[in-house]
Amino acid sequence: MTDTIITRFPPSPTGYLHVGGARTALFNWLYARKTGGKFILRIEDTDTLRSTQESVDAIFQGLEWLGIDWDEGPYYQTRRFDIYQKFLDRLVAEEKAYYCTCSPETVEAMREKARAEGRNPMYDGSCRHKNRQPQPGAVVRLLTPDTGSTRIDDVVKGPISIPNTEIDDFIICRSDGVYTYNFAVVIDDLTMNITHVIRGDDHISNTPKQILIYEALGANIPKFGHVPMVLGPDRTRLSKRHGAMGVMEYKKMGFLPEALLNYLVRLGWSSGDQEFFTIEDMKHLFTLEAIGRSPGVFDMDKLTALNGEHIQKSTPEKLLPPLLEQMTDLAIPHDPDDTRLPAIISLLQPRSKTLLEMAQQAEPFFVAPSTYCEVAIKKNFKTGSLEVLKKIEEKLTESEEESETAMEALLHSVCEEMNLKLGKVGGPLRVALTGKGQSPGMGETLALLGKERSLPRIRAAIAFLETF
Ligand code: GLU
């Protein structure tokens, strides 16, 4: 036994990595990172009908995007059957497990009888002490105690005790030779020296059975922590019908992985009243003791606000690659080496809650508007706008400078000469340059577009207004 903390994330590859799974992975990963321990990835693919390589890849992709790295694995359960068999043989040899030849109909009749007598539906142990040799079509059952109770010292929920009379001799290997989840998981956790099993509380009913397997093997029992589920806004368990589930969908929507992780860590864990966490903060502050007992409710607006905060606190350098990806996805023509990009990003950082929004707002810096937004036209193209644009065009053509200060001075001189407020000048100019009713300030925009891009846009708007 070493003192190293070893945690694991063992997804079943029957779909993408969803936000609930990502949170479980995150808690285990953080705990390992916080304690200088180890985090293991294991693919629980014994359900061969529902497991797919596509899902395995999607899980890797999701973890990679989130930056959740593992120290060992990925292990695959389907490649570990010889290990499971050794432990199974040992249990049978020690009469702690046995082959059961009862037909499914017989077992169902026993359950029915128990139900009728007001007891829990259970297998009655008929084959106990009968079969120590493999039997055709037999399952293997664990011989469970008839008295006493099984106790879970749950690090999240506190102590839980289950009378052993409620646990029947459950199947550990099916008649087709496939080991059940409860058995494979215990043998894996045992042979991988897992010290802490942090998982969703949908697994809590499996835990007493798993503890009985450890006990039958005379093995150390890891610490268990069952984390409450993530709920949708209607307080039912989060599912597809609540919207996006796969973490990669959040990437598409323009979320930063660190913002999603920050949101997920807070959904079930807290550190004082701190809401904003960098990954480093999380790694330093995470504790199992501070995992909450009540379920977290997934709130898209909160996630979006937090994402905006992470964008604001990030740097153009870090935001550049994911922004370029968004622009490519939106088919916004751009030169990835455009030297204006860092300045465009810092300009848009305080104005964007997502990278998708940032990409949409960045578009006018790369492409001239092909149409003008109807609402923006109504609000900004007024009597006199044509003259304003002509004046700006004239001054900009003459201007030898393109800096933001020079551009602001230029706009102020237009205001002064025409005796107009800045809005009357900036409004039509904004539509001319961006096609939209909202954008960063006109001085900054003109400076970033430069004369070369701005003049043709202003001239196009003049032509538009002349025929308006
Ligand atoms: N494969 C199980 C799941 O995806 C893992 C449960 C566990 O952590 O033991 O739910």
Side-chain angles (χ1 to χ4, degrees), residues 8 10-12 24 42 44 181 185 189 197-200 202-203 210:
R8 62 1 168 229
S12 305
T24 305
R42 183 169 78 220
E44 301 205 326
Y181 155 71
V185 105
D189 287 343
V197 172
I198 315 299
R199 61 184 170 203
D202 51 336
H203 279 290
Q210 295 179 12

Side-chain angles (χ1 to χ4, degrees), residues 81-119:
F81 279 18
D82 51 339
I83 302 174
Y84 306 146
Q85 189 60 43
K86 261 192 229 150
F87 282 91
L88 191 87
D89 290 344
R90 193 181 123 193
L91 286 175
V92 175
E94 291 174 3
E95 289 199 47
K96 290 171 178 163
Y98 58 89
Y99 288 92
C100 164
T101 48
C102 295
S103 68
E105 295 74 30
T106 311
V107 176
E108 192 40 48
M110 289 171 195
R111 295 166 156 263
E112 200 42 61
K113 183 163 174 273
R115 254 187 292 251
E117 290 168 7
R119 291 182 287 119

Side-chain angles (χ1 to χ4, degrees), residues 385-448:
S385 293
L386 178 61
E387 285 63 43
V388 167
L389 289 180
K390 280 185 173 165
K391 188 64 143 192
I392 300 173
E393 193 267 344
E394 186 191 308
K395 284 188 177 271
L396 191 59
T397 310
E398 285 164 12
S399 169
E400 274 166 20
E401 265 194 84
E402 290 185 323
S403 70
E404 190 183 323
T405 340
M407 291 300 104
E408 265 161 17
L410 183 147
L411 294 177
H412 279 293
S413 71
V414 174
C415 292
E416 243 163 61
E417 281 174 37
M418 301 183 79
N419 197 22
L420 291 171
K421 289 226 172 84
L422 192 59
K424 289 265 179 286
V425 174
L429 178 61
R430 171 169 286 119
V431 182
L433 296 178
T434 70
K436 305 179 191 196
Q438 272 166 354
S439 77
M442 283 299 98
E444 295 160 311
T445 304
L446 275 174
L448 278 168

